[in-house]
Amino acid sequence: MEENNINIEEIMADIKREIKEKGLTGDMLSFEDVPYKKTPQAGGSVREALDFLNSNYNVQPYKELKGNPLKTSFKKVIRKLMKFYIEPTVNDQNNVNSSIVTVLNGLAENSPEKAISKAETLELAQKELLIRIEKLEKENEELRKALGKQENV
Amino acid sequence: MRIVQLLPTLSFGDAIGNDTIALSGALKDMGFKSEIYAENIDKRLPRGIASHTDKLKGLKSSDILIYHKSTGTDLTFKIEQYKCRRIMVYHNITPPEFFRPYSTEAAKLTEYGYKGVEYLRDKVEYVLADSAYNKNELLKMGYTCPIDVRPILIRFEDYKQTPDEAVMKKFSDGRTNLLFVGRIAPNKKQENLIRAFFCYKKREPQARLILCGSYAGMENYYERLVKYAAALGIGDDVIFTGHIRFPEILAYYRTASAFVCMSEHEGFCVPLAEAMFFDVPIIAYDAAAISDTLGGCGILLDDNSPEFVSAVIDRTVHDEKLREYLIKGQRERLADFSYERIKDIFEKQIRSFTEKSK
């Protein structure tokens, strides 16, 4: 694939050469080390349902009117007539929805499952930091050796 | 002549649903009596666009039934009751091995799906596969009937809608946005994206990884990914959108710096064509049907090691000439997926099939 001096194969080969020369290894915590539940979760996607509630709890009293102009004008008149009843009811409902969503978020945030999950994540993060420390110590040792050689020269 | 399309679920806005509806239109344009039948019909679809499978009666031996195969369903095993000529459109099924550690239900469903594909081997006269990869899979499974490749029909018109304003505003802040669109599923290997992103963050600390897609049914895998990103210290910059509205998806494409795909199993991968449409440079690992869909455009990786992927991302994001070259190639490839072109291919395939029966 070559066009306007761009050759993808060459670019890929250059990148691979550079990674080899610099000794970049991409050492990190393995995905296999991350624990997970092996049994199917009951109750479907609770988290996704909560996400949905968070973004949709505020209900709009009216939908956009489209289509036949005659029908639209008729609907507008009905809306005006019903406004005194619809709007306060929807506002009350939105206040209730908002409180429910706040409570549900609080419960989800403080659930025992979440606490266990947080502890597991911290353990994994510690593991990952140990990998990084080991890598840095190796680099440090190599740099010290190189510095020592220079001083001897 | 009646040409009937049959599928378990006709969904609103999904790739197979759109393909089925577009094919029905193409069949009508060709002068055939075209109908769609499904067991479940999405209520958001226009009324009368499809009928329930119970109503599918009176097919003659000269009529044609086009069956869309993409999942495990009892409907597959009822196909013999329709005494007419049968074509299968093969969209592929994810191998159950990917799901086994996370969801027994998903693993069973896909296993059942493969049993269905095996069952259909001598029940269909002709197959239209979404990609050459899908065709090869069927050949390996012992299919001997003629199989042709016909890419899926994508409604690019829909992508011209206004993108979500809030997402546009939030993600147009000058930071690098790496995007992948697709369900959170083990075959899509989102963990390899996180690994590559971890390395990329050392090069570009302000970058984000946006994983756009629903995790319904794959909560175990999703939670494992979230934990992994957090343990690597990049949890705040790996964004899982969950199921989102269509205008939000459009906004993520419009604000993306690169589309990165590490998926190890795809029968076609519609998001690749979407990234082409939005001029987002594509970097994808060479697995399953990915190379078929890219057709030479984008960057196809032969190695998914995180350091290598991150270096390729870095080059793609910052090298203007390379970006221009990639986008130009992707635009050319996109033309192959235009409605007119795919309709033309389909028309020739159907005409050839119907003529053979005369």
Side-chain angles (χ1 to χ4, degrees):
Chain A
M1 250 171 100
E2 198 170 355
E3 196 183 293
N4 300 332
N5 302 323
I6 299 256
N7 184 318
I8 299 286
E9 282 84 16
E10 250 175 44
I11 293 173
M12 295 302 115
D14 280 350
I15 290 173
K16 281 183 182 171
R17 206 175 304 126
E18 197 190 318
I19 290 172
K20 207 174 173 187
E21 278 170 12
K22 288 185 180 169
L24 302 173
T25 53
D27 292 335
M28 69 181 87
L29 179 78
S30 162
F31 186 60
E32 305 309 314
D33 290 339
V34 184
Y36 64 100
K37 286 179 208 138
K38 292 183 182 168
T39 48
Q41 285 155 299
S45 176
V46 176
R47 198 188 295 260
E48 223 168 38
L50 193 60
D51 286 347
F52 177 82
L53 286 178
N54 275 312
S55 50
N56 294 285
Y57 69 86
N58 195 43
V59 179
Q60 294 303 312
Y62 307 114
K63 281 181 184 167
E64 194 190 346
L65 291 175
K66 283 180 189 170
N68 186 324
L70 195 71
K71 280 186 184 171
T72 316
S73 335
F74 183 64
K75 283 178 186 170
K76 275 183 187 165
V77 172
I78 294 176
R79 270 186 187 185
K80 280 197 176 151
L81 291 170
M82 297 297 287
K83 194 178 168 185
F84 79 97
Y85 174 72
I86 297 287
E87 287 188 3
T89 311
V90 171
N91 285 339
D92 288 347
Q93 184 64 56
N94 280 338
N95 288 336
V96 172
N97 289 354
S98 167
S99 306
I100 291 172
V101 167
T102 310
V103 171
L104 288 176
N105 282 330
L107 288 173
E109 198 53 42
N110 299 312
S111 67
E113 264 189 19
K114 187 107 182 176
I116 293 168
S117 177
K118 271 183 189 167
E120 274 175 355
T121 306
L122 283 173
E123 263 176 45
L124 288 168
Q126 192 192 12
K127 221 173 183 178
E128 166 60 22
L129 285 173
L130 287 172
I131 293 172
R132 278 191 223 177
I133 289 170
E134 199 181 326
K135 202 180 165 190
L136 286 169
E137 275 175 349
K138 255 186 206 167
E139 279 177 15
N140 193 19
E141 199 180 328
E142 277 167 18
L143 285 170
R144 273 175 195 279
K145 274 182 192 165
L147 203 66
K149 270 183 195 170
Q150 263 189 354
E151 276 172 2
N152 287 337
V153 171
Chain B
M1 183 193 290
R2 254 174 104 189
I3 301 189
V4 163
Q5 292 187 81
L6 180 68
L7 67 168
T9 303
L10 185 68
S11 303
F12 173 82
D14 87 327
I16 295 170
N18 285 342
D19 186 51
T20 308
I21 294 165
L23 289 186
S24 181
L27 288 166
K28 280 176 189 162
D29 289 346
M30 288 160 68
F32 293 110
K33 194 177 175 221
S34 167
E35 296 150 39
I36 302 172
Y37 291 88
E39 284 179 324
N40 308 295
I41 302 162
D42 199 313
K43 285 188 177 124
R44 291 168 291 176
L45 287 164
R47 267 185 87 180
I49 202 159
S51 310
H52 193 270
T53 42
D54 290 348
K55 291 179 184 162
L56 177 52
K57 280 166 193 157
L59 281 171
K60 293 179 199 150
S61 59
S62 57
D63 292 333
I64 296 171
L65 177 93
I66 300 177
Y67 179 59
H68 290 260
K69 183 71 184 159
S70 65
T71 186
T73 163
D74 291 339
L75 188 61
T76 303
F77 301 92
K78 293 175 189 163
I79 202 163
E80 248 187 316
Q81 74 185 54
Y82 304 110
K83 307 290 178 200
C84 59
R85 306 190 72 201
R86 302 180 205 112
I87 298 175
M88 172 169 78
V89 174
Y90 187 50
H91 299 288
N92 207 295
I93 295 163
T94 307
E97 292 72 41
F98 283 107
F99 297 119
R100 224 158 259 144
Y102 302 101
S103 167
T104 319
E105 203 181 314
K108 274 185 187 164
L109 192 71
T110 48
E111 226 164 66
Y112 194 45
Y114 273 108
K115 271 183 193 157
V117 179
E118 274 172 20
Y119 171 82
L120 290 172
R121 194 162 38 209
D122 55 356
K123 313 284 183 302
V124 292
E125 282 178 55
Y126 180 44
V127 178
L128 292 174
D130 289 346
S131 59
Y133 173 80
N134 290 1
K135 177 180 173 174
N136 289 334
E137 193 175 272
L138 294 176
L139 291 173
K140 278 182 200 158
M141 288 174 85
Y143 272 68
T144 50
C145 67
I147 306 174
D148 282 322
V149 175
R150 179 208 57 105
I152 204 160
L153 258 165
I154 305 164
R155 286 165 52 102
F156 290 108
E157 272 305 303
D158 292 347
Y159 300 109
K160 291 175 185 163
Q161 287 177 30
T162 315
D164 184 83
E165 214 176 296
V167 174
M168 285 296 289
K169 205 176 161 189
K170 189 174 174 188
F171 291 92
S172 309
D173 55 359
R175 290 173 64 180
T176 299
N177 297 320
L178 304 178
L179 177 70
F180 176 68
V181 177
R183 282 178 304 113
I184 301 293
N187 60 304
K188 301 197 185 270
K189 291 282 162 193
Q190 276 96 347
E191 67 267 33
N192 287 346
L193 280 169
I194 292 173
R195 284 156 58 79
F197 181 64
F198 172 74
C199 292
Y200 184 64
K201 282 282 280 178
K202 290 176 199 160
R203 296 168 184 261
E204 177 83 53
Q206 289 300 305
R208 294 187 191 101
L209 172 65
I210 301 161
L211 300 174
C212 197
S214 167
Y215 44 82
M218 281 298 134
E219 289 79 8
N220 292 341
Y221 178 58
Y222 162 73
E223 280 172 17
R224 198 179 187 195
L225 290 173
V226 172
K227 266 187 212 165
Y228 189 45
L232 291 174
I234 53 173
D236 290 344
D237 292 317
V238 178
I239 296 155
F240 293 88
T241 67
H243 180 75
I244 49 171
R245 293 177 300 112
F246 191 61
E248 291 175 277
I249 300 175
L250 301 183
Y252 283 115
Y253 273 117
R254 289 199 184 277
T255 53
S257 315
F259 184 89
V260 193
C261 172
M262 291 289 111
S263 181
E264 289 186 5
H265 190 271
E266 297 287 341
F268 182 81
C269 196
V270 171
L272 291 176
E274 293 173 342
M276 290 175 203
F277 179 85
F278 288 101
D279 282 345
V280 184
I282 299 168
I283 300 157
Y285 179 55
D286 187 6
I290 300 290
S291 62
D292 296 337
T293 305
L294 286 182
C297 77
I299 297 180
L300 198 61
L301 305 176
D302 58 356
D303 175 4
N304 60 4
S305 63
E307 273 298 348
F308 176 60
V309 179
S310 77
V312 175
I313 294 171
D314 192 42
R315 184 74 184 260
T316 309
V317 169
H318 295 108
D319 185 336
E320 252 333 292
K321 265 192 181 173
L322 177 62
R323 286 181 75 81
E324 275 172 28
Y325 169 77
L326 291 173
I327 290 169
K328 187 173 171 264
Q330 289 176 191
R331 282 182 185 167
E332 284 166 12
R333 177 58 176 154
L334 187 69
D336 294 336
F337 301 128
S338 71
Y339 178 78
E340 289 71 26
R341 188 159 302 182
I342 307 290
K343 188 186 162 195
D344 194 43
I345 293 173
F346 178 64
E347 202 168 325
K348 280 180 191 151
Q349 289 166 336
I350 289 293
R351 293 263 181 236
S352 154
F353 180 76
T354 52
E355 271 157 26
K356 270 180 202 160
S357 63
K358 281 177 187 171

